[in-house]
Amino acid sequence: MKRVGILIVSVCLMAFWSGSLMVKAQTTAPSSKEPVDYVNPLMGTDSKFSLSNGNTYPAIALPWGMNFWTPQTAEMGDGWQYAYDADKIRGFKQTHQPSPWMNDYGNFALMPVTGQLKFTEKERASWFSHKAEVAKPHYYSVYLAEYDVTTEFTTTERAVRFRFTFPESDSSYVVIDAFDQGSYVKVIPEENKIIGYSTRNSGGVPENFRNYFVVEFDKPFTYTSVWDKDKLKEGETELTGEHAGAVIGFTTQKGEVVNARVASSFISHEQAERNLEEIGTDDFDTVRAKGRDIWNKELGRMIVEGGTLDETRIFYSTLYRTLLFPRKFYEYDADGNIVHYSPYNGEVLPGYMFTDNGFWDTFRAVFPFFNLMYPSLNEKIQAGLVNAYKESGFLPEWASPGHRSVMIGNNSATLVADAYLKGLRGYDMETLYEAVLHGTENVHPEVSATGRLGHEYYNELGYVPYDVGINESAARTLEYAYADWTIWKLSKELDRPKKEIKRFKERSQNYRKLFDPETNLMRGKNEDGTFQDPFNPLKWGDAFTEGNSWHYTWSVFHDVQGLINLMGGEDTFVSMLDSVFTMPPDFDDSYYGFPIHEIREMQIVNMGQYAHGNQPIQHMIYLYNYAGQPWKTQYWIREVLNRLYTPEADGYCGDEDNGQTSAWYVFSSMGFYPVTPGSDQYVLGAPLFPKMTVELENGNKITISAPDNNRENRYIDKMYIDGNPWDKNYVNYYDLMDGAYLEFEMSDTPNKSRGTEEEAYPYSFSEGK
């Protein structure tokens, strides 16, 4: 996912994919390690504007934590805040950034220096090496060569502990940078403390937005100053300015350790002090051990066995990414009540709030993963959505921290429906359903990505026309139709009026209005009912979103059989699927004026038109199951798992996007995937590991056994559930939730008789399965 409408200067790239020639180490992962030991937070950090290998940064945090911390290599305001190929660190930054395209908010940084005082970002930057860097989900350490200082930090949900190991020096300092756009600092020497706030943001905040912070040291200050931009004000202790900062200093002995406790709040300085109590009297090693235990508990709910070392590292690294967003945007008041600063109206209100998520990405696999593994978490997220609607009049589609005008679709409806249909309860569903209905008839007056842009046309014509000045009209139509199917399912479950149920049932078929029988592809349609002309199915953008017709044609998640029928049957449908991989990676970039990074990422991986680096096509491989050739799903899933992910800095083949591209890997490693959130089925692929044990929140376990699994044996020959033969191309959610033993007999040759009958096919609206 990238921010729509950003214009840049085109960058020429040269890239080479040698994935088909790569030889992966076959070393089995040692069993003595714990899950957290396999995680590489640097996976995906070898990225830049023109080409993404993940667009990630090392998020040192607890699962879904309110605050993340990261080393900062880029200039203030640069969304690529940590780049693997950088050689200097400018500071250690509290970050809330969900992606470089959305950028950051409420950020501030600490940076130790020695010798001559350097406080501006560029001057204070220090050389570093990955050879002297340790990155774990809960802990980070690096040696700053410029100053002979080792910096370590470890986190709670809202606080962090720093440990600086200084050299012998009478000029040891820590710089606190509250960043630009308006900030405040105050040094309180008698308490070894600095307080302040940052207002820096990239949009989506009320006028009174502030992130209040407190920094408390265990060593008295012998030097204090404040600064604004590049002007140092020695001896002063308080400053409000465009870009405020502070410096505190002391004399240190060789190897002397100075500790700092840091916390922040979106509510007040008093609340920031309260959030500091998450650390309490715990020393650094205790906080680090607790963080490690928390990550091991969550990661350890999925134990994989028998895979290669690289496969194990990728699995736990992608699982770590899946558990980061959306972030908790709530705090605990003096009485222990849950409260939040509203990123929608600026008030402090009771109840849950979550943010930093693009539902266009995460409705596909992240939230279905939560419904399987973390239903109690998603119940809190749903309660937060209720609050978002009450405070803004709309459900968010992309929140960071409030509504942001980016991407398309009405995928909040899908999140709400899938959660409730999976049995989640304990929140105000009446208000939430009201919010869902409101979103189908309205668009936010200031943020066109929230609600449904073009709803007037869609509700009258059944599609958003190509020629009425609304970009990406075909993609909007397809996503609205799927959302309407989920609303239809939800409205039936809630026993809504028959007329209402019928309306959404009929609208779920609106995808048919864009099907072009001449090309067997989806195509933009004009207001008068004619198709857009000229039409190039390789044209990215235009009628589609960050993709072309070959990517979006498959976005009929709820009615694959209906799409098969439109194409004239299974043979044509399978041929069209095959063509995605056999066509050359040609493209038309005229809509953007240059090859956006998603285009390059498709082009260089040598998989034809398959663009796994972006979300619209990620489910497509699983669609062979609907047309009697599941072995092709099994083949291509393993190709993607083997070729397009690595455990290193180049770990992804495109944007990681709030856990979505990671959740795809996690689900696909299990051997199934939620093609149709809102249904009770997961469509089969094939498991990656010889064994996986999954501990569900309700205490039940899913065991996935494939003892003959290896790089050659990628095909399912036979399958059993709880010892009984299973010939379907899907598994059922409720069967899994009851605990299940899935056994696979794997083979190096496809079984072309298994899963070929219609009775084996997954759900499609047209079949009513």
Side-chain angles (χ1 to χ4, degrees):
M1 184 281 300
K2 73 169 188 64
R3 192 166 185 173
V4 177
I6 293 179
L7 298 178
I8 62 157
V9 178
S10 176
V11 179
C12 294
L13 301 172
M14 295 183 66
F16 176 71
W17 169 250
S18 58
S20 59
L21 302 177
M22 290 176 63
V23 178
K24 267 190 172 180
Q26 294 298 304
T27 305
T28 300
S31 59
S32 58
K33 287 188 176 183
E34 294 182 303
V36 72
D37 296 317
Y38 294 106
V39 177
N40 180 13
L42 303 185
M43 178 178 168
T45 60
D46 181 18
S47 299
K48 53 190 174 182
F49 186 99
S50 56
L51 187 71
S52 172
N53 285 308
N55 272 340
T56 65
Y57 57 88
I60 314 305
L62 294 189
W64 310 288
M66 189 177 87
N67 302 321
F68 299 172
W69 285 82
T70 192
Q72 178 193 349
T73 64
E75 295 180 1
M76 178 179 59
D78 189 335
W80 284 263
Q81 56 190 349
Y82 178 96
Y84 190 79
D85 63 356
D87 47 33
K88 286 188 176 182
I89 285 177
R90 298 166 182 262
F92 302 96
K93 171 184 168 185
Q94 185 185 101
T95 178
H96 306 96
Q97 179 172 293
S99 88
W101 308 106
M102 305 305 293
N103 217 302
D104 211 344
Y105 62 89
N107 34 337
F108 63 96
L110 279 68
M111 180 67 177
V113 300
T114 59
Q116 180 184 354
L117 176 56
K118 301 174 183 178
F119 62 91
T120 64
E121 187 180 79
K122 184 176 181 179
E123 290 180 340
R124 72 185 185 230
S126 172
W127 288 84
F128 83 105
S129 168
H130 298 300
K131 299 177 182 67
E133 179 186 40
V134 177
K136 299 292 183 183
H138 59 292
Y139 168 76
Y140 180 85
S141 172
V142 71
Y143 175 68
L144 300 175
E146 204 82 11
Y147 306 115
D148 192 21
V149 174
T150 296
T151 296
E152 303 168 90
F153 56 88
T154 184
T155 63
T156 67
E157 288 187 343
R158 296 167 187 83
V160 63
R161 239 192 186 285
F162 276 87
R163 184 161 69 184
F164 306 103
T165 303
F166 282 98
E168 182 177 359
S169 175
D170 59 3
S171 304
S172 292
Y173 307 97
V174 177
V175 178
I176 294 89
D177 189 341
F179 286 28
D180 63 1
Q181 297 185 0
S183 46
Y184 166 78
V185 292
K186 180 179 180 181
V187 182
I188 310 173
E190 61 272 20
E191 299 181 33
N192 300 342
K193 183 184 296 183
I194 302 97
I195 64 172
Y197 63 72
S198 167
T199 67
R200 195 172 217 290
N201 67 85
S202 306
V205 299
E207 289 186 5
N208 67 346
F209 169 79
R210 290 178 177 178
N211 185 29
Y212 301 89
F213 61 81
V214 55
V215 184
E216 184 182 278
F217 290 86
D218 67 350
K219 185 177 177 67
F221 309 154
T222 58
Y223 174 90
T224 63
S225 66
V226 293
W227 53 274
D228 191 9
K229 296 182 180 177
D230 59 353
K231 294 183 175 59
L232 186 68
K233 301 177 183 295
E234 291 190 315
E236 297 188 22
T237 58
E238 188 170 12
L239 177 75
T240 302
E242 162 62 16
H243 183 177
V247 182
I248 57 94
F250 22 65
T251 298
T252 56
Q253 302 302 312
K254 182 179 180 180
E256 182 173 352
V257 173
V258 177
N259 289 277
R261 302 191 310 155
V262 186
S264 69
S265 166
F266 296 105
I267 296 173
S268 67
H269 278 127
E270 292 74 20
Q271 183 64 42
E273 295 272 7
R274 193 170 294 120
N275 292 343
L276 196 58
E277 294 173 8
E278 288 186 350
I279 294 176
T281 59
D282 288 348
D283 63 15
F284 188 95
D285 291 331
T286 300
V287 176
R288 179 171 60 179
K290 286 182 176 180
R292 178 182 175 86
D293 288 346
I294 289 170
W295 274 111
N296 266 328
K297 176 185 175 183
E298 303 303 345
L299 298 171
R301 291 181 56 191
M302 304 184 77
I303 298 298
V304 298
E305 300 177 51
T308 68
L309 177 58
D310 276 1
E311 288 166 347
T312 306
R313 292 177 67 203
I314 296 169
F315 179 82
Y316 284 114
S317 297
T318 54
L319 182 55
Y320 147 79
R321 289 281 168 195
T322 305
L323 304 185
L324 287 174
F325 295 102
R327 79 172 64 256
K328 297 174 180 178
F329 202 76
Y330 62 85
E331 307 174 49
Y332 295 89
D333 68 13
D335 298 319
N337 299 313
I338 295 168
V339 295
H340 65 272
Y341 166 82
S342 172
Y344 301 103
N345 65 20
E347 298 178 18
V348 177
L349 297 165
Y352 290 106
M353 181 62 63
F354 290 78
T355 192
D356 289 329
N357 218 252
F359 296 159
W360 183 84
D361 305 288
T362 56
F363 86 85
R364 305 166 195 270
V366 175
F367 280 90
F369 183 78
F370 292 165
N371 289 333
L372 178 68
M373 296 294 296
Y374 293 96
S376 64
L377 169 75
N378 203 10
E379 287 176 341
K380 296 179 178 66
I381 294 172
Q382 300 298 312
L385 290 177
V386 173
N387 290 329
Y389 174 64
K390 289 179 176 179
E391 294 160 26
S392 73
F394 284 86
L395 292 176
E397 299 297 339
W398 230 121
S400 180
H403 295 301
R404 299 289 293 276
S405 193
V406 62
M407 305 313 294
I408 65 147
N410 182 213
N411 300 301
S412 57
T414 302
L415 264 67
V416 170
D418 191 38
Y420 195 81
L421 292 167
K422 293 291 194 299
L424 276 62
R425 298 295 186 269
Y427 48 91
D428 184 358
M429 190 61 211
E430 183 177 346
T431 298
L432 208 45
Y433 186 75
E434 174 190 309
V436 167
L437 291 183
H438 179 77
T440 67
E441 306 286 342
N442 295 275
V443 63
H444 194 287
E446 299 174 357
V447 185
S448 63
T450 300
R452 289 190 182 183
L453 184 63
H455 62 87
E456 308 94 334
Y457 297 104
Y458 177 83
N459 293 343
E460 179 181 347
L461 301 174
Y463 61 94
V464 180
Y466 175 76
D467 60 348
V468 296
I470 298 177
N471 293 335
E472 303 161 30
S473 57
R476 295 179 194 277
T477 298
L478 293 170
E479 293 195 19
Y480 294 168
Y482 168 61
D484 283 339
W485 174 83
T486 66
I487 299 171
W488 167 62
K489 294 273 288 184
L490 181 59
S491 65
K492 289 197 301 177
E493 184 73 13
L494 295 174
D495 197 24
R496 298 291 297 180
K498 291 182 180 180
K499 185 177 180 180
E500 185 175 292
I501 295 171
K502 180 182 179 183
R503 179 167 77 248
F504 290 107
K505 180 179 182 181
E506 291 175 348
R507 286 182 182 174
S508 76
Q509 297 302 290
N510 283 341
Y511 73 89
R512 298 175 180 271
K513 298 182 184 296
L514 298 190
F515 183 79
D516 173 22
E518 182 180 337
T519 61
N520 278 328
L521 294 167
M522 296 295 175
R523 183 173 176 178
K525 181 174 280 188
N526 296 318
E527 189 175 9
D528 65 3
T530 60
F531 281 113
Q532 70 173 101
D533 187 51
F535 171 60
N536 180 357
L538 300 180
K539 186 175 184 179
W540 281 62
D542 197 23
F544 300 98
T545 300
E546 298 177 7
N548 61 36
S549 183
W550 278 100
H551 304 145
Y552 252 96
T553 291
W554 317 107
S555 293
V556 187
F557 311 93
H558 58 296
D559 196 12
V560 178
Q561 185 60 52
L563 183 60
I564 291 172
N565 296 342
L566 288 174
M567 288 186 178
E570 292 179 358
D571 290 344
T572 302
F573 180 79
V574 168
S575 178
M576 293 290 287
L577 289 172
D578 290 343
S579 295
V580 170
F581 298 107
T582 59
M583 293 172 65
D586 297 334
F587 57 86
D588 175 351
D589 63 3
S590 59
Y591 176 75
Y592 299 105
F594 62 93
I596 61 174
H597 75 95
E598 289 91 346
I599 293 176
R600 284 286 183 235
E601 289 147 14
M602 176 196 77
Q603 184 187 37
I604 64 177
V605 298
N606 192 23
M607 293 184 77
Q609 287 291 315
Y610 184 71
H612 190 77
N614 211 20
Q615 280 65 43
I617 203 170
Q618 287 182 350
H619 69 292
M620 164 258 169
I621 295 176
Y622 286 90
L623 301 189
Y624 287 107
N625 283 288
Y626 297 75
Q629 296 192 29
W631 60 89
K632 290 186 176 179
T633 290
Q634 296 156 26
Y635 174 83
W636 284 112
I637 290 296
R638 191 63 68 87
E639 285 294 290
V640 174
L641 290 170
N642 286 348
R643 290 170 50 184
L644 302 189
Y645 293 79
T646 81
E648 306 300 340
D650 65 346
Y652 298 91
C653 60
D655 276 327
E656 195 278 332
D657 279 335
N658 300 155
Q660 169 55 31
T661 304
S662 292
W664 188 96
Y665 189 96
V666 172
F667 262 123
S668 295
S669 297
M670 297 173 77
F672 47 82
Y673 185 80
V675 169
T676 314
S679 78
D680 60 359
Q681 294 178 358
Y682 301 101
V683 180
L684 282 177
L688 176 64
F689 294 92
K691 186 177 182 181
M692 182 186 298
T693 305
V694 179
E695 180 182 335
L696 300 175
E697 197 173 78
N698 61 14
N700 295 328
K701 289 186 178 181
I702 304 168
T703 302
I704 302 164
S705 176
D708 295 327
N709 215 347
N710 56 43
R711 291 180 70 85
E712 289 73 37
N713 293 350
R714 64 176 62 183
Y715 300 104
I716 299 174
D717 187 49
K718 296 178 182 178
M719 179 181 174
Y720 305 86
I721 297 182
D722 296 331
N724 301 311
W726 185 258
D727 61 358
K728 310 297 184 188
N729 293 340
Y730 60 87
V731 292
N732 183 274
Y733 169 81
Y734 294 101
D735 290 342
L736 295 178
M737 294 300 288
D738 286 340
Y741 189 90
L742 310 183
E743 186 176 2
F744 297 86
E745 294 184 9
M746 305 298 292
S747 172
D748 61 356
T749 56
N751 181 344
K752 296 186 177 181
S753 61
R754 187 196 174 281
T756 59
E757 303 297 326
E758 290 186 9
E759 291 76 16
Y761 297 177
Y763 168 88
S764 285
F765 173 91
S766 291
E767 293 297 329
K769 291 180 181 177

